[in-house]
Amino acid sequence: MKTVGVIGAGSFGITLVKIISRNTSVLVYSRNQELVDSINKGFHPVLGVTLRPNVKATSDIAEITSACTLLLAVVPSSNFREMMKDFCPYLKPSHIIIQGTKGLDVSRREEDWQNLTFSKADVCTMTEVITQESSVIRVGCLSGPNLSGEILAGQPAATVIASEFDEVIKLGQTVLSSKKFFVFGSHDLKAAEIAGAFKNIIAVASGILAGMGMGKNMQSLLITRGLREMIYFGTAMGTSGAAYLGVAGIGDLIATATSEHSRNYTFGKRFASGEDYEHIMATTTEVVEGVRTLRIINQLAKNDHLDLPIVTVLHKVIFEGFNMQRGLEFLMTDTYAADVDFF
């Protein structure tokens, strides 16, 4: 690949740009022309990141799709389908898209959150959105413990490229691998995407515990029980439970649910400290995917009668005014049949 395209110039998009530019040239797409101009001068003004000379940017969809066969898409889940509709006229079956968005899509049924009756068939992963909205066949996802702040600071990390196509996995490994960034491969695409979305919910809950002054005992209990709910939900969506015990599952869950660099963890901590929901969302510089995913999965749990107590209580706390201490007490007194009951 002479040039790899990255769609999205947020923190994770630029993190991928920095990684890929060690191996090959990168063309970044953004709708923000001022940001495009800054990147073309070798600098990202918001992140304060200096970029290599082989990194260029464009606001022209035709340019990036004609110059790049491989595209990595890192766009918020709420805008992902809209983005794909914009790109659709320019995409061909020969293109390859690896998405790095950790969220779910219900945009076809999302008009009224109060009266939704959607089912599992209405909940789409980002790669499903790609194939629904374009002629692209070879798709994959990037998932794992990839906190942008740590990677941009030069710390080592690993990720998973998941795809049904070996070619996509190998190509992703080729352009992303370095001495400080190790890339695993997986064929369990849907599980990797669900894990990446679900762990953000647990990260929000973990931040709330931190804001309440709870320690590592409660945090580790939450992560453990959160993993149980992730596996339960994933198997209900038709994936293998074992897939959640790898880098894209428990690995990403631990990183996101314990780090101050996690925007989902930070949201939860601010919320528990007394900040208003609307104020937090208005003053957060990037999308908190866990909040949107929480609404989707909570509604799906209601409609499909799924047993997800952490999801249920967290939704009540954030969106229904339920007292946080009472919510914690409910979870602590909820009876489970066994410690490990998801195999």
Side-chain angles (χ1 to χ4, degrees):
M1 289 290 160
K2 292 183 179 180
T3 305
V4 173
V6 174
I7 305 169
S11 61
F12 191 49
I14 294 301
T15 299
L16 293 179
V17 168
K18 291 278 286 184
I19 295 170
I20 297 168
S21 64
R22 296 168 183 162
N23 299 317
T24 189
S25 297
V26 185
L27 183 59
V28 189
Y29 171 82
S30 173
R31 293 183 297 181
N32 185 330
Q33 188 59 48
E34 290 184 8
L35 184 55
V36 167
D37 295 338
S38 294
I39 292 173
N40 283 328
K41 294 176 182 177
F43 186 74
H44 192 287
V46 178
L47 299 174
V49 173
T50 301
L51 301 167
R52 292 181 175 85
N54 64 346
V55 175
K56 301 299 178 183
T58 183
S59 58
D60 185 353
I61 297 175
E63 181 180 357
I64 190 171
T65 50
S66 62
C68 307
T69 300
L70 174 61
L71 301 167
L72 279 79
V74 191
V75 177
S77 60
S78 58
N79 304 120
F80 202 94
R81 190 177 293 275
E82 178 186 356
M83 178 274 293
M84 283 305 306
K85 288 180 178 179
D86 291 339
F87 270 72
C88 177
Y90 304 91
L91 293 170
K92 303 175 182 178
S94 57
H95 279 103
I96 298 171
I97 300 182
I98 299 174
Q99 70 86 12
T101 300
K102 296 177 179 178
L104 298 172
D105 174 83
V106 287
S107 59
R108 294 174 296 182
R109 301 292 300 276
E110 205 172 2
E111 295 82 6
D112 182 3
W113 277 104
Q114 302 303 316
N115 298 296
L116 288 181
T117 56
F118 61 79
S119 65
K120 290 185 289 186
D122 299 308
V123 179
C124 302
T125 65
M126 297 302 108
T127 57
E128 288 171 337
V129 173
I130 293 169
T131 56
Q132 288 166 3
E133 299 292 346
S134 74
S135 61
V136 176
I137 299 168
R138 293 172 295 173
V139 297
C141 87
L142 184 149
S143 189
N146 303 146
L147 297 169
S148 296
E150 293 185 3
I151 298 173
L152 291 175
Q155 296 186 24
T159 195
V160 171
I161 297 289
S163 177
E164 297 175 358
F165 298 89
D166 287 333
E167 179 186 3
V168 175
I169 295 171
K170 291 176 181 177
L171 192 56
Q173 290 174 324
T174 299
V175 301
L176 287 166
S177 295
S178 72
K179 292 181 179 179
K180 290 189 175 181
F181 199 72
F182 188 80
V183 184
F184 294 94
S186 170
H187 291 110
D188 206 335
L189 174 58
K190 190 168 185 177
E193 291 188 279
I194 289 175
F198 199 100
K199 57 87 185 178
N200 286 330
I201 295 175
I202 307 305
V204 171
S206 182
I208 288 178
L209 288 183
M212 293 174 67
M214 301 295 164
K216 294 300 180 183
N217 285 334
M218 283 304 301
Q219 189 179 57
S220 63
L221 177 60
L222 172 73
I223 291 172
T224 304
R225 300 315 298 176
L227 176 63
R228 173 202 174 272
E229 289 196 21
M230 179 191 292
I231 293 173
Y232 176 79
F233 177 74
T235 53
M237 295 293 286
T239 65
S240 165
Y244 300 92
L245 301 180
V247 174
I250 184 64
D252 200 5
L253 175 59
I254 292 172
T256 311
T258 61
S259 174
E260 299 282 351
H261 290 291
S262 163
R263 69 194 72 165
N264 295 283
Y265 177 91
T266 301
F267 170 89
K269 192 172 182 179
R270 290 177 64 182
F271 186 84
S273 299
E275 290 191 54
D276 178 70
Y277 169 84
E278 298 295 341
H279 174 72
I280 299 174
M281 298 302 284
T283 55
T284 299
T285 56
E286 294 196 289
V287 176
V288 183
E289 288 283 5
V291 174
R292 183 170 182 275
T293 305
L294 172 64
R295 299 179 75 185
I296 293 172
I297 294 182
N298 178 73
Q299 190 64 49
L300 187 61
K302 286 182 179 179
N303 296 342
D304 283 26
H305 307 291
L306 303 178
D307 179 27
L308 301 172
I310 295 174
V311 169
T312 300
V313 171
L314 186 61
H315 189 276
K316 288 182 178 295
V317 167
I318 293 178
F319 295 110
E320 302 173 39
F322 197 71
N323 180 269
M324 284 181 281
Q325 187 62 45
R326 286 187 62 196
L328 179 60
E329 291 170 0
F330 174 81
L331 290 175
M332 289 296 292
T333 56
D334 193 19
T335 302
Y336 297 103
D339 179 25
V340 179
D341 58 356
F342 44 73
F343 286 117

